[in-house]
Amino acid sequence: MVCSNYFNVFNVIFYRLINMEKKNYNRFFHLHTVSGIVISVGLYIIFFAGAFTLFLEAISDWEKGSFLDQNNQEVLSTNKLDYDRLLNSLAQNDYDLYGRSISLNLKGKETQNFTLSQSKDTISTKNATKEYDLVVDTNTYKITKQKEVDYSSIGDLFYYLHFYYQLGRFGYYTSGFVALFFLFAIVTGVVVHWKKIISNFYVFRPLAKLKTVWTDAHTVLGMIGLPFQFLYALTGAMFGLGILASLSSPLLYNGDTDKLDGVLYENHEVDLGTRTALNTHIINPLLDSLATKWPDFTPKYITINNCASTTMQFEVSGSISPKINFFNNGAIIYDVSTKKEVYSNSPYTSNYNDAVNDTMYSLHYADYGNLGVWGNIGLRIIYFIMALITCFVIITGVLIWLAARDKKNIPEKQRRFNEKVGHIYLAISLTMLPITAFSFIVSKLIPHDFLEYRKVILYWVFFGGWLLLSIFFTLKKNNYFINKYTLLSGGILGLCIPLVNGLSSGNWIWRTFLNQNYTVFIIDTLWIGIAIISIYTVYRLKKTNKSLF
């Protein structure tokens, strides 16, 4: 009954929206236009960078020329780690473990990376006051320090650019607000175009006037990508702005941010207890009991908190097969001294919060579980295509705005200003294609001896080159020129990418396919597809009226 009442209310509101007066219609139309224009460049960057972020791990493997297993799955450790032996080995290497946390991401084969935090003990001395990134050999349990310089990938650059994290938290919040305004633009767009959205979907008039061409393209592609765009607007706003909930702590918990975080993120850590000997706490049997409790459970993340203390905790996070349960993530925390469960979140039964969070992450990251090799690749390719379609919808929206303001009744000064805005918008957006292709080539050719300079080189090449190209094409003051030569240069550089990969590493596209190295194969294939479409578009532009651009 309650659901029925809500549905009826929604119907009444929506009916009034689509049958609004002319005055209200104009208001929604202008709100849709303004919100779209304000976020256009920022939104284009988010979707373009996000398209390549979908293949983050594949890009890293392509750069390194490495091979994953043929099932394209995460490679979990083949050697069962002895955690009691690991703790003893750390102690024998003069690491004071009291009050420290050990965090492990269970990937790798012969070695296992982990983090040893600084101690919670306020009077700790020497190495206990520092955090270390360490490596343990799972055969000999020899402890070594990780290299201080991590491998920097062009994929990482796009991952951070996707939510502007190069600007820190300000950039992260900005990406959330852009997603929120995008959601607003989608809703107002549906309301404005609802009555004609189906009939206009089948209409395309390439020989009509300028504004009509872009309107048709904007409507058709916007309709095709509407569910995808709504999904990303909603999940993007949730991720980008959800963290702002912590700002309410002065009102809810008397300024205690840690207490609020504990409620929001289910923080189950306890205060540091008194020091105890390591041999009084045994961890391995806890994993054995977990294997009995959840027989199909695969641990992926291990955390040992408050080491060598009376409040020592052992936390395990992982998942079961999505074939057993769609919401398949689970976690459990043991009190090591009593061997009792402090917290348990079964992967077989999920509560409301877990279901929502898991669903949002799965939808946003195109991670629906084990779909097989080509299932996972195919899903990401669909997301990739929809992201690029959204980029085109954004561009056509800007062009509609420009065409609508290129009229005789608009003052010449205002028309020139609008033209400049259009040149800047298109130059910043469209130059992302050639500079991305060029950055891929550079990332492949950086020598291994320059490992510690990779990040600096990639950032200078991408952002410096993007800035120079944007300025150059803006100064050309010709939208047709911008469109043609960004596509042409991007297409040519895109074709060079698989050639550079083959010449530099021997991973020719046919060889990677035959060797079932699909993560490397798909990157070369994507760039060949992008290059062919870009060059074909340039070829078709020669046969069209230049005034359309």
Side-chain angles (χ1 to χ4, degrees):
M1 179 66 70
V2 174
C3 293
S4 177
N5 289 336
Y6 279 122
F7 184 74
N8 291 333
V9 171
F10 175 79
N11 278 341
V12 171
I13 295 173
F14 191 72
Y15 177 81
R16 291 184 177 180
L17 284 175
I18 64 176
N19 293 280
M20 66 184 76
E21 299 176 355
K22 182 69 174 178
K23 183 177 180 180
N24 289 332
Y25 175 88
N26 290 334
R27 288 174 178 172
F28 271 89
F29 182 82
H30 289 304
L31 286 172
H32 174 69
T33 303
V34 171
S35 59
I37 291 298
V38 168
I39 65 172
S40 59
V41 173
L43 191 63
Y44 185 96
I45 294 171
I46 286 176
F47 272 97
F48 190 93
F52 287 94
T53 300
L54 292 166
F55 298 96
L56 183 64
E57 293 184 0
I59 291 173
S60 179
D61 292 317
W62 178 87
E63 290 173 309
K64 297 175 183 178
S66 60
F67 288 78
L68 291 182
D69 63 307
Q70 64 179 17
N71 292 321
N72 194 30
Q73 302 295 316
E74 291 180 341
V75 181
L76 299 178
S77 178
T78 55
N79 296 335
K80 184 177 179 181
L81 195 62
D82 186 330
Y83 295 96
D84 295 318
R85 186 176 176 184
L86 171 63
L87 293 175
N88 290 327
S89 180
L90 285 168
Q92 292 172 7
N93 280 270
D94 295 327
Y95 288 102
D96 183 4
L97 297 181
Y98 177 61
R100 306 176 91 159
S101 296
I102 299 174
S103 302
L104 303 100
N105 186 346
L106 300 184
K107 294 181 182 180
K109 291 186 177 180
E110 300 302 325
T111 60
Q112 177 66 61
N113 300 344
F114 66 97
T115 300
L116 180 65
S117 74
Q118 67 182 43
S119 177
K120 290 182 180 179
D121 186 10
T122 56
I123 60 173
S124 61
T125 58
K126 298 182 179 179
N127 64 36
T129 61
K130 299 179 181 179
E131 179 177 297
Y132 293 93
D133 292 323
L134 304 173
V135 181
V136 59
D137 187 307
T138 55
N139 293 312
T140 64
Y141 284 81
K142 180 182 179 181
I143 305 293
T144 56
K145 293 182 180 179
Q146 290 188 44
K147 294 181 179 180
E148 296 183 359
V149 180
D150 292 327
Y151 188 90
S152 182
S153 168
I154 188 66
D156 296 330
L157 186 152
F158 281 106
Y159 176 74
Y160 291 120
L161 181 61
H162 177 57
F163 47 90
Y164 308 144
Y165 208 66
Q166 282 87 357
L167 301 177
R169 285 196 172 187
F170 172 78
Y172 191 76
Y173 298 153
T174 301
S175 69
F177 279 111
V178 169
L180 182 63
F181 277 101
F182 183 44
L183 183 63
F184 186 69
I186 291 173
V187 173
T188 53
V190 171
V191 171
V192 167
H193 298 296
W194 181 257
K195 290 185 176 181
K196 296 182 179 180
I197 200 168
I198 301 299
S199 59
N200 286 358
F201 179 76
Y202 299 97
V203 177
F204 188 66
R205 296 156 286 187
L207 300 179
K209 60 182 180 180
L210 177 63
K211 183 182 177 182
T212 303
V213 173
W214 294 128
T215 301
D216 289 346
H218 188 76
T219 303
V220 172
L221 294 176
M223 183 64 179
I224 292 174
L226 182 61
F228 174 85
Q229 293 157 13
F230 183 83
L231 157 69
Y232 263 88
L234 181 63
T235 56
M238 187 191 80
F239 295 149
L241 299 179
I243 197 170
L244 291 178
S246 62
L247 298 180
S248 61
S249 59
L251 300 176
L252 299 177
Y253 293 95
N254 298 320
D256 191 344
T257 303
D258 293 335
K259 189 173 183 179
L260 177 61
D261 289 342
V263 175
L264 292 176
Y265 307 109
E266 295 189 274
N267 184 5
H268 300 280
E269 288 190 29
V270 295
D271 294 334
L272 180 62
T274 57
R275 185 188 289 267
T276 60
L278 281 177
N279 57 11
T280 61
H281 291 340
I282 307 300
I283 292 178
N284 291 333
L286 299 177
L287 268 182
D288 296 333
S289 65
L290 179 59
T292 304
K293 179 183 179 67
W294 296 336
D296 300 309
F297 184 74
T298 301
K300 293 184 178 180
Y301 304 97
I302 299 288
T303 304
I304 307 174
N305 290 315
N306 296 342
C307 289
S309 77
T310 54
T311 57
M312 186 173 174
Q313 290 184 334
F314 183 66
E315 179 178 354
V316 185
S317 300
S319 64
I320 58 175
S321 171
K323 294 180 180 180
I324 300 175
N325 188 17
F326 181 76
F327 307 110
N328 62 332
N329 293 319
I332 193 167
I333 301 176
Y334 292 98
D335 183 296
V336 179
S337 60
T338 63
K339 305 296 188 294
K340 294 182 179 180
E341 298 177 10
V342 176
Y343 167 80
S344 178
N345 178 23
S346 173
Y348 297 95
T349 57
S350 302
N351 58 41
Y352 177 80
N353 290 336
D354 293 330
V356 171
N357 288 329
D358 289 349
T359 301
M360 293 297 102
Y361 276 98
S362 296
L363 291 173
H364 194 85
Y365 292 104
D367 183 12
Y368 299 160
N370 185 11
L371 301 178
V373 178
W374 292 108
N376 289 329
I377 292 176
L379 181 62
R380 282 170 171 75
I381 290 176
I382 292 173
Y383 268 59
F384 185 86
I385 293 172
M386 296 305 297
L388 296 186
I389 286 177
T390 303
C391 290
F392 189 78
V393 171
I394 296 168
I395 291 295
T396 53
V398 174
L399 293 173
I400 292 170
W401 180 81
L402 290 173
R405 281 149 185 80
D406 188 18
K407 297 178 179 178
K408 295 181 179 179
N409 61 340
I410 295 179
E412 183 66 21
K413 184 177 181 180
Q414 185 65 39
R415 290 172 64 185
R416 290 183 177 276
F417 174 79
N418 293 337
E419 287 180 358
K420 291 179 181 179
V421 171
H423 299 327
I424 295 172
Y425 273 26
L426 291 179
I428 294 175
S429 300
L430 296 181
T431 52
M432 286 194 75
L433 176 61
I435 196 58
T436 297
F438 182 70
S439 298
F440 265 75
I441 294 174
V442 171
S443 70
K444 188 66 180 180
L445 296 178
I446 297 176
H448 189 270
D449 295 338
F450 286 78
L451 180 64
E452 59 182 312
Y453 305 110
R454 276 188 63 87
K455 185 173 182 179
V456 175
I457 294 173
L458 291 176
Y459 270 63
W460 271 104
V461 168
F462 182 83
F463 289 106
W466 189 14
L467 175 62
L468 293 176
L469 287 177
S470 299
I471 294 174
F472 170 76
F473 281 105
T474 299
L475 295 177
K476 294 300 293 185
K477 300 179 181 179
N478 187 318
N479 290 344
Y480 174 81
F481 182 91
I482 296 173
N483 186 64
K484 176 181 177 180
Y485 286 101
T486 52
L487 287 174
L488 181 62
S489 57
I492 294 173
L493 290 170
L495 287 177
C496 293
I497 288 175
L499 294 176
V500 170
N501 184 31
L503 292 171
S504 61
S505 64
N507 286 336
W508 295 101
I509 188 169
W510 58 85
R511 183 176 296 176
T512 56
F513 180 79
L514 293 175
N515 290 330
Q516 298 181 331
N517 188 11
Y518 299 127
T519 54
V520 177
F521 169 79
I522 197 61
I523 298 301
D524 287 338
T525 304
L526 279 177
W527 274 112
I528 291 175
I530 293 172
I532 291 174
I533 293 173
S534 299
I535 294 173
Y536 177 75
T537 303
V538 173
Y539 170 76
R540 295 294 299 176
L541 289 181
K542 295 180 180 179
K543 296 185 177 183
T544 59
N545 187 345
K546 292 185 179 182
S547 64
L548 293 178
F549 302 91

